[in-house]
């Protein structure tokens, strides 16, 4: 028997032999196909929440009337079926509308390519919660670093210089409304316990039944140990207030001063929380239209305030003299 000489002549396939170049080009084009929502699983660790809010209700009504107008983007799974890359809200609206199928573009994508597309497509939403930005930015930056051949590191400064000498967060900042420094702040939120992270989200949602924490103090709280955060959440719930930025900085400094297995005591957290915050000082305001007739036009606000205080002092002295 003759032995193979190992030569590879790159012979064309049967399909190539009996198809035109035009037909082969058309076969390479992406096509829109209709898929059942049950065939499509969610993107793993999808950071963007599909909320049942007014916008979802409007989308569902639109889908009922017109169908899904913009195809979702999916990628095939090795185990069968498809994985959603862009279109989670459209899929949910289709489910609610009772559609049997939705239009989809099927594309072969690596994990990192799919992650970047998923994040970019969702960052176009009108309302994005801090927690969504936090995990989305982290996922995309890790994917960018892997594509550049650098393993991601989990630290407070999440990215470093890439292959062309520009930091990955600086590259990301060119495509999003947040600066590189602001991106780093958002990523710090991934170190918060879920209960506190929910309060950060409420700075956007504005649920009157819940407390809310702004981004900057939340970033400082993210440096506390998890058990310290849990203690703080219980204290905030009991006192019905949240720490100011200055108080959060103080908590972080005291926590970082602890060594080994030491932790910040609850009493210390309570003591800091009891400190008066400038934005919590009670203020009394009088509508300007009610007092403007007593002052000449253009009178400085401080002079108006001083005049009112002096008038009240005179009134109090008269009242005391009448009581004698």
């Amino acid at each position: 028997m003759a032995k193979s000489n190992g030569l590879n002549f790159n012979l064309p396939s049967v399909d190539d032999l009996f198809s035109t170049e035009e037909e082969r080009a058309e076969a390479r084009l992406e096509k829109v196909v209709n898929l059942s929502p049950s065939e499509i699983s969610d993107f793993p660790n999808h950071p963007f929440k599909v909320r049942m809010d007014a916008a979802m209700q409007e989308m569902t009504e639109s889908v009922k009337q017109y169908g899904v107008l913009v195809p979702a983007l999916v990628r095939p799974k090795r185990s069968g079926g498809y994985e959603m890359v862009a279109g989670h809200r459209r899929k949910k609206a289709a489910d609610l509308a009772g559609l049997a199928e939705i239009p989809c573009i099927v594309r072969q994508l690596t994990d990192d390519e799919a992650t970047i597309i998923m994040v970019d497509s969702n960052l176009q939403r009108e309302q994005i919660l801090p927690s969504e930005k936090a995990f989305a930015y982290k996922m995309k930056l890790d994917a960018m670093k892997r594509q550049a051949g650098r393993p991601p590191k989990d630290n407070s400064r999440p990215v470093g210089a890439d292959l062309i000498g520009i930091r990955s967060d600086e590259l990301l900042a060119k495509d999003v409304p947040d600066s590189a420094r602001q991106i780093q702040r958002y990523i710090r939120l991934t170190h918060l316990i879920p209960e506190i992270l929910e309060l950060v989200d409420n700075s956007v949602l504005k649920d009157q039944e819940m407390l809310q924490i702004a981004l900057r103090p939340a970033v400082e709280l993210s440096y506390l140990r998890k058990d310290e955060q849990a203690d703080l959440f219980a204290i905030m719930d009991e006192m019905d207030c949240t720490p100011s930025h200055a108080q959060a900085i103080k908590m972080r400094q005291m926590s970082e001063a602890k060594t080994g297995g030491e932790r910040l005591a609850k009493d210390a957290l309570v003591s800091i929380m009891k400190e008066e915050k400038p934005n919590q000082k009670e203020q009394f305001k009088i509508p300007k239209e009610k007092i403007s007739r007593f002052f000449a036009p253009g009178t400085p606000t401080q002079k108006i305030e001083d005049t009112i205080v002096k008038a009240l002092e005179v009134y109090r002295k008269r009242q005391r003299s009448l009581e004698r």
Side-chain angles (χ1 to χ4, degrees):
M1 177 182 289
K3 295 183 179 180
S4 170
N5 58 10
L7 295 178
N8 183 2
F9 293 101
N10 292 320
L11 295 175
S13 66
V14 174
D15 288 340
D16 288 340
L17 286 173
F18 296 97
S19 63
T20 66
E21 179 60 34
E22 183 178 350
E23 290 172 334
R24 291 193 293 271
E26 183 179 357
R28 289 193 294 267
L29 293 176
E30 291 181 337
K31 293 188 175 77
V32 176
V33 297
N34 290 322
L35 299 175
S36 168
S38 62
E39 296 182 74
I40 310 170
S41 61
D42 290 341
F43 195 91
N45 301 315
H46 192 247
F48 296 93
K49 301 176 179 67
V50 178
R51 297 188 293 277
M52 295 303 300
D53 52 15
M56 176 55 70
Q57 292 177 358
E58 290 178 6
M59 178 179 285
T60 302
E61 290 302 316
S62 175
V63 167
K64 283 182 181 178
Q65 187 172 359
Y66 304 108
V68 177
L69 300 179
V70 179
L73 177 63
V74 301
R75 64 171 182 162
K77 297 167 59 176
R78 293 179 181 176
S79 58
Y82 301 88
E83 180 179 280
M84 183 66 75
V85 177
H88 289 79
R89 296 180 74 249
R90 278 164 278 171
K91 176 190 170 187
K92 182 64 175 179
D95 277 336
L96 295 173
L99 298 189
E101 296 179 324
I102 60 173
C104 298
I105 295 173
V106 180
R107 184 180 300 173
Q108 294 286 348
L109 296 166
T110 66
D111 290 347
D112 290 336
E113 289 171 342
T115 296
I116 291 172
I117 293 174
M118 179 276 295
V119 172
D120 288 346
S121 63
N122 282 280
L123 286 176
Q124 307 305 316
R125 293 185 183 184
E126 291 184 7
Q127 186 186 72
I128 305 176
L129 301 181
S131 65
E132 294 174 330
K133 277 192 175 183
F135 288 99
Y137 282 160
K138 186 177 188 306
M139 288 176 71
K140 181 171 181 179
L141 286 173
D142 286 348
M144 291 169 63
K145 292 172 68 175
R146 284 191 295 267
Q147 286 187 331
R150 301 177 58 253
K153 295 179 181 179
D154 185 17
N155 52 36
S156 61
R157 208 150 163 87
V159 290
D162 66 9
L163 293 181
I164 59 174
I166 302 176
R167 289 174 54 90
S168 299
D169 52 358
E170 292 172 351
L171 288 174
L172 176 55
K174 296 177 184 295
D175 300 322
V176 299
D178 295 307
S179 66
R181 181 57 181 158
Q182 190 75 340
I183 289 171
Q184 293 172 19
R185 292 191 182 104
Y186 276 114
I187 291 178
R188 275 303 315 177
L189 300 183
T190 63
H191 296 270
L192 288 171
I193 62 174
E195 294 84 354
I196 295 181
L197 187 56
E198 190 175 5
L199 302 186
V200 186
D201 282 345
N202 199 40
S203 66
V204 174
L205 296 173
K206 306 294 184 184
D207 183 346
Q208 298 299 319
E209 301 299 319
M210 287 178 55
L211 294 170
Q212 55 182 274
I213 301 178
L215 176 64
R216 297 297 292 276
V219 169
E220 300 300 329
L221 297 180
S222 73
Y223 289 91
L224 270 61
R225 298 172 176 85
K226 292 293 190 291
D227 50 5
E228 293 171 340
Q229 292 185 38
D231 288 343
L232 176 60
F233 177 76
I235 292 168
M236 289 190 294
D237 186 53
E238 182 178 346
M239 298 179 68
D240 195 31
C241 64
T242 58
S244 66
H245 188 206
Q247 288 174 324
I249 291 175
K250 190 171 183 179
M251 291 176 184
R252 173 187 173 181
Q253 291 173 339
M254 293 179 67
S255 175
E256 291 180 335
K258 300 294 182 181
T259 58
E262 291 183 315
R263 56 184 283 189
L264 191 57
K266 287 185 179 180
D267 290 345
L269 292 170
V270 171
S271 178
I272 295 173
M273 289 290 290
K274 285 183 176 179
E275 296 174 357
E276 187 177 43
K277 295 186 274 288
N279 63 349
Q280 290 184 343
K281 293 179 180 178
E282 186 175 0
Q283 296 186 8
F284 181 78
K285 296 182 179 180
I286 303 175
K288 191 173 182 180
E289 59 269 17
K290 287 189 175 183
I291 60 174
S292 59
R293 62 192 178 93
F294 299 105
F295 299 91
T299 303
T301 302
Q302 187 61 51
K303 187 174 182 179
I304 293 175
E305 183 180 315
D306 293 342
T307 302
I308 292 173
V309 171
K310 288 179 181 179
L312 290 172
E313 289 175 349
V314 171
Y315 174 79
R316 184 175 62 177
K317 288 178 181 179
R318 287 181 180 180
Q319 288 296 107
R320 286 177 177 175
S321 63
L322 291 174
E323 292 172 356
R324 292 175 183 173

